Amino acid sequence: MKAIIQRVTKASVTVGDEEVSSIGRGLCVLLGISVEDTQKDADYLVRKILNLRLFEDENGRTWSKSVMDRDFEVLCVSQFTLQCVLKGNKPDFHAAMPAELAEPFYNSILENMRSSYKPERIKDGTFGGSMQVHIQNDGPVTIELRSPTGPSDLKQLSKQEKQQQRKEKTRSKGPSECRERGAGRSRPDPNASSGADGDVSSEREP
């Protein structure tokens, strides 16, 4: 599953001459569902969309608050073209979930959002309709988000998380502890030759 998340000052969806949905400040989410997506993908996307810290706090500190923290709105628009695969210059959409399966799945995602937040704050367009989506991007701020679907993606995600944990542990130790460890490794071996007779064994790491 793929989502394009835009921070907006306002956004709306029009079908023909009729405005079917609109929001003020918040997020406009274009959502593309693939044939391989499951409920786990949907849960991941919903959690991330509602908790991404894309807004400032009351003191103006940026990247501090989520759409829920600020009591803002979310406009979701189903967009199967996000699952496009190019064949030369021609777009191919076989990776997108068929409409008869995607519509109930998409509706369940909306219900998940509404139950996780406030129902009146979650708006959507017209599934399968020819829509005009009007987006006033704030920033601009645009985030591309993919759900970790396959086993390789999950392994990569776990690897990245472990790397980040190691970096955080290194930072928390501080430079003084690193110097102490470095000093410990460089202590000379009392049984090694001084190197005066041409023996360079004292320069080798133990």
Side-chain angles (χ1 to χ4, degrees), residues 94-108:
H94 284 95
M97 184 177 288
E100 63 272 17
L101 299 176
E103 185 171 9
F105 192 35
Y106 174 71
N107 289 333
S108 72

Side-chain angles (χ1 to χ4, degrees), residues 112-123:
N112 190 352
M113 278 194 189
R114 290 176 176 131
S115 62
S116 301
Y117 186 25
K118 297 178 180 178
E120 68 276 9
R121 294 294 188 192
I122 307 298
K123 310 289 181 64

Side-chain angles (χ1 to χ4, degrees), residues 123-192:
K123 310 289 181 64
D124 70 316
T126 301
F127 186 91
S130 179
M131 296 173 280
Q132 291 77 50
V133 184
H134 307 275
I135 302 170
Q136 188 167 297
N137 196 313
D138 177 23
V141 173
T142 301
I143 303 294
E144 179 181 339
L145 190 62
R146 291 177 182 267
S147 60
T149 50
S152 60
D153 292 333
L154 291 172
K155 288 179 181 179
Q156 182 65 21
L157 188 64
S158 176
K159 183 179 179 181
Q160 291 173 352
E161 289 175 348
K162 288 179 181 178
Q163 288 175 343
Q164 184 62 30
Q165 289 172 0
R166 285 197 293 268
K167 287 180 181 178
E168 291 174 355
K169 286 181 180 178
T170 302
R171 293 193 195 103
S172 65
K173 288 175 183 176
S176 59
E177 186 174 344
C178 292
R179 283 197 298 269
E180 288 174 3
R181 288 192 174 188
R185 286 197 301 268
S186 61
R187 288 172 184 168
D189 185 350
N191 297 320

